[in-house]
């Protein structure tokens, strides 16, 4: 099912001025479970962000969540998630080379899986790279060019784990408030930079705040720049809990979850790894596994 979902969250009270243009997409409280935070970071040495795969290397296939050694999960005070099932051979989302791009916030599947997407790239915590290397939980990264350009290398070890880089504009504007040509430059310029830096063209695009996704103007701009779908979300992670768009406040198979690269100044003192650990705990409480979004999408034939 295609939905035009939007986050409705409060602006962080803290954070650098450079974050103000996009922080309204990221609230501080949500409607998830009430369990205590699930992760506490250790003091082990973290890999340097510059220890990266070559920029021409495309994402590799990583083990699904649950494939890591339980000791690696215990290091982060977490219990391993159940492994995700093998992705379907017949992909539920099939993309075309031309024409209007679909907009979706969930994937039609009977698999009890959800998909984690992480936006913008503001927080570049080496401990998060260490955590993902240990846990092997798949994520999709929707990066904003001007937010990541000061350290493109940080995201390359995450990409090398099999996680895909997707498009989230140049500088995170409200898309419906800018003219068509500016929309196009926001998407096309980010597409060019991300392709050059990470060696593969983003297949997917996420409009900041989910804004304008249902408009023909934005759809045309996306088509002109290369991405072949717009991805929204059904839930968003808010420090320790999730905020749900559906009134029943429950995950459903195929839901797409939104999170952000955030640090203590935006998370009321919590770290990126603590937030992500709590997200995994909320998913586990409801009996779900984490799958890779791109594994459920059939890219256009070349």
């Amino acid at each position: 099912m295609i939905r035009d979902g939007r986050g409705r969250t409060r602006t962080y009270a803290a954070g650098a001025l450079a974050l103000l243009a996009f922080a309204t997409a990221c609230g501080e409280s949500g409607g998830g479970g009430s369990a205590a935070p699930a992760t506490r970071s250790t003091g082990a040495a973290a890999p340097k962000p510059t220890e990266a795969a070559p920029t021409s290397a495309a994402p590799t296939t990583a083990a699904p969540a649950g494939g890591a050694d339980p000791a690696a999960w215990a290091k982060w005070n977490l219990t391993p998630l159940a492994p995700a099932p093998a992705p379907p051979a017949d992909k539920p989302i099939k993309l075309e080379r031309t024409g209007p791009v679909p907009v979706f916030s969930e994937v039609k599947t009977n698999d009890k899986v959800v998909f984690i997407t992480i936006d913008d790239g503001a927080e570049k915590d080496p401990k998060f790279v260490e955590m993902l290397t240990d846990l092997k939980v798949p994520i999709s990264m929707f990066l904003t060019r001007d937010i990541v350009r000061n350290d493109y290398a940080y995201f390359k070890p995450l990409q090398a784990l099999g996680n895909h880089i997707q498009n989230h504009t140049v500088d995170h504007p409200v898309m419906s408030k800018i003219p068509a040509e500016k929309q196009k430059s926001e998407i096309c310029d980010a597409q060019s930079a991300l392709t050059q830096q990470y060696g593969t063209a983003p297949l997917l695009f996420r409009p900041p705040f989910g804004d304008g996704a249902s408009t023909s103007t934005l759809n045309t701009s996306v088509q002109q720049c290369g991405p072949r779908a717009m991805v929204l979300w059904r839930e968003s992670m808010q420090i320790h809990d999730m905020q749900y768009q559906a009134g029943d406040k429950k995950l459903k198979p195929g839901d797409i979850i939104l999170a952000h690269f955030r640090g203590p100044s935006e998370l009321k003192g919590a770290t990126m790894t603590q937030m992500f650990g709590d997200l995994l705990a909320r998913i586990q409480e409801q009996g779900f596994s984490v799958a890779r979004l791109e594994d459920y999408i059939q890219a256009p034939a070349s």
Side-chain angles (χ1 to χ4, degrees):
M1 176 180 292
I2 294 174
R3 300 179 183 267
D4 181 15
R6 297 190 182 192
R8 301 281 194 239
T9 57
R10 299 194 302 276
T11 304
Y12 287 123
L17 292 177
L19 302 179
L20 293 179
F22 56 89
T24 51
C26 321
E28 295 176 328
S29 63
S34 59
T39 180
R40 293 293 181 269
S41 174
T42 70
K48 297 179 180 179
T50 54
E51 293 174 357
T55 57
S56 61
T60 57
T61 300
D69 186 338
W73 287 70
K75 169 182 170 180
W76 301 95
N77 293 334
L78 293 168
T79 302
L81 290 173
D90 184 16
K91 309 301 183 187
I93 295 178
K94 298 176 174 63
L95 303 182
E96 303 294 336
R97 285 178 57 84
T98 60
V101 303
V103 182
F104 60 91
S105 56
E106 57 193 19
V107 175
K108 186 176 181 180
T109 179
N110 292 322
D111 294 342
K112 200 166 184 184
V113 298
V114 293
F115 308 99
I116 297 175
T117 62
I118 308 183
D119 278 12
D120 64 54
E123 178 71 10
K124 302 171 183 69
D125 183 356
K127 297 294 289 184
F128 183 66
V129 177
E130 181 183 348
M131 186 182 205
L132 264 287
T133 302
D134 288 343
L135 304 187
K136 298 179 172 59
V137 174
I139 62 172
S140 300
M141 296 175 282
F142 288 80
L143 301 184
T144 303
R145 189 200 70 181
D146 284 0
I147 297 173
V148 303
R149 67 190 305 178
N150 66 334
D151 193 0
Y152 283 121
Y154 171 82
F155 302 93
K156 292 176 182 177
L158 296 172
Q159 182 190 30
L161 293 172
N163 301 309
H164 294 247
I165 305 289
Q166 308 295 359
N167 189 328
H168 196 40
T169 73
V170 168
D171 59 12
H172 211 277
V174 178
M175 298 299 277
S176 66
K177 296 186 180 299
I178 59 177
E181 281 305 307
K182 176 62 173 172
Q183 287 187 3
K184 182 179 176 181
S185 67
E186 282 283 340
I187 303 167
C188 287
D189 292 354
Q191 188 81 356
S192 177
L194 295 173
T195 301
Q196 180 181 16
Q197 290 294 325
Y198 298 110
T200 185
L203 179 66
L204 309 174
F205 170 73
R206 172 169 284 156
F209 318 102
D211 181 78
S214 63
T215 67
S216 60
T217 301
L218 183 57
N219 202 292
T220 298
S221 296
V222 175
Q223 294 174 53
Q224 292 172 333
C225 296
R228 293 308 308 157
M230 280 190 272
V231 180
L232 302 179
W233 60 92
R234 297 290 296 147
E235 296 84 22
S236 60
M237 185 61 189
Q238 309 296 328
I239 307 181
H240 301 305
D241 294 311
M242 281 194 288
Q243 185 174 72
Y244 297 81
Q245 293 189 22
D248 58 4
K249 297 185 178 181
K250 292 181 180 179
L251 293 172
K252 295 179 177 59
D255 277 1
I256 296 171
I257 300 171
L258 167 67
H260 291 81
F261 286 93
R262 291 288 183 267
S265 63
E266 296 82 38
L267 299 177
K268 294 186 174 181
T271 64
M272 179 80 184
T273 57
Q274 289 171 331
M275 179 274 290
F276 193 78
D278 288 344
L279 171 57
L280 297 180
R282 303 292 85 79
I283 292 169
Q284 186 175 59
E285 287 166 359
Q286 298 187 49
F288 283 82
S289 299
V290 177
R292 190 181 313 283
L293 176 61
E294 291 82 0
D295 288 347
Y296 283 69
I297 297 173
Q298 180 176 302
S302 58

